Amino acid sequence: KQEVTQIPAALSVPEGENLVLNCSFTDSAIYNLQWFRQDPGKGLTSLLLIQSSQREQTSGRLNASLDKSSGRSTLYIAASQPGDSATYLCAVRPSAYNTDKLIFGTGTRLQVFP
Amino acid sequence: DAGVIQSPRHEVTEMGQEVTLRCKPISGHNSLFWYRQTMMRGLELLIYFNNNVPIDDSGMPEDRFSAKMPNASFSTLKIQPSEPRDSAVYFCASSLDRGNYGYTFGSGTRLTVV
């Protein structure tokens, strides 16, 4: 059974810091991994999608890496800003289990203060 | 594209009433997913469709829940009768080619059953 864990559960940092959010999954048989952002009371916004054959993806100040063999992904946020405050979720699409559903982690709640 | 569109955004209903949630996926996407989010359990998949056909409904809590996808541009999730424990945020998501290009989520419907 695929399980996804995110560490830390919560993080509070001053503006300007570089951050690393961690995501681990128990089964390396995945098609892809996707990072989402969720603002309070809002929906999920896709940030980055990494296919199983890729090592990393970048978008602006965000960089996500994937090490499928060790079951890990990291989301790196450079020069954090108060507007980055949100909950960050990672989700994997398993290639085993004959399913198309995403398996979500429990999220990291990030607060960036001025 | 307007993204995945869900309605209503908020629904407050009395216990025992029927509730219908609606979703319009992104045009051209052929997979549609219904998720439920609660503080206690996080994001849980309820059911998903490929090409309008239900594929996996193992996450549907009980017979009070039903979902339909009569055509490629519309899906409903119905709860009858509703109970207070059904209170949650319900998300609809769609994808192309079974999620190979990632998933797009709607803004969600916040359901409160009193």
Side-chain angles (χ1 to χ4, degrees):
Chain A
K1 178 185 174 184
Q2 177 73 272
E3 294 182 355
V4 182
T5 305
Q6 291 186 244
I7 296 174
L11 188 60
S12 182
V13 299
E15 180 177 10
E17 281 204 3
N18 299 323
L19 307 172
V20 175
L21 308 183
N22 296 294
C23 173
S24 60
F25 45 96
T26 55
D27 190 336
S28 61
I30 65 170
Y31 281 122
N32 53 46
L33 182 146
Q34 197 165 357
W35 282 93
F36 295 89
R37 167 187 173 139
Q38 185 174 27
D39 293 281
K42 304 293 185 183
L44 280 69
T45 301
S46 179
L47 297 174
L48 291 164
L49 171 69
I50 310 177
Q51 302 293 349
S52 61
S53 59
Q54 297 174 323
R55 297 285 294 182
E56 64 177 351
Q57 284 286 328
T58 298
S59 176
R61 294 182 295 108
L62 304 180
N63 175 277
S65 66
L66 175 65
D67 184 344
K68 200 173 69 164
S69 61
S70 67
R72 293 181 181 178
S73 176
T74 60
L75 179 65
Y76 177 81
I77 304 175
S80 59
Q81 304 171 356
D84 295 330
S85 299
T87 295
Y88 291 80
L89 296 155
C90 71
V92 300
R93 183 188 163 216
S95 58
Y97 319 120
N98 192 30
T99 181
D100 299 336
K101 71 180 184 182
L102 282 176
I103 309 295
F104 279 89
T106 50
T108 293
R109 189 170 64 253
L110 172 66
Q111 181 181 13
V112 182
F113 54 90
Chain B
D1 198 317
V4 177
I5 300 173
Q6 292 187 244
S7 64
R9 290 296 308 276
H10 302 276
E11 177 80 32
V12 180
T13 190
E14 292 185 347
M15 183 173 63
Q17 295 298 307
E18 177 179 294
V19 176
T20 300
L21 311 182
R22 297 172 176 79
C23 176
K24 176 179 169 57
I26 290 175
S27 177
H29 281 193
N30 54 359
S31 296
L32 183 140
F33 304 79
W34 283 100
Y35 280 86
R36 178 171 67 175
Q37 186 178 38
T38 61
M39 289 292 292
M40 292 297 294
R41 301 172 68 91
L43 275 157
E44 302 174 284
L45 178 72
L46 299 176
I47 185 171
Y48 78 91
F49 298 82
N50 280 345
N51 298 314
N52 312 338
V53 176
I55 302 300
D56 181 358
D57 65 355
S58 60
M60 295 286 262
E62 48 200 89
D63 292 345
R64 298 184 297 107
F65 285 68
S66 63
K68 294 182 180 180
M69 192 165 186
N71 56 62
S73 60
F74 184 66
S75 176
T76 60
L77 177 67
K78 185 177 294 186
I79 307 173
Q80 165 64 19
S82 58
E83 297 183 1
R85 60 193 169 120
D86 302 330
S87 297
V89 181
Y90 291 80
F91 288 104
C92 176
S94 70
S95 71
L96 178 64
D97 194 20
R98 301 179 62 186
N100 284 336
Y101 302 98
Y103 299 73
T104 303
F105 279 73
S107 299
T109 294
R110 181 174 296 276
L111 174 65
T112 303
V113 183
V114 298

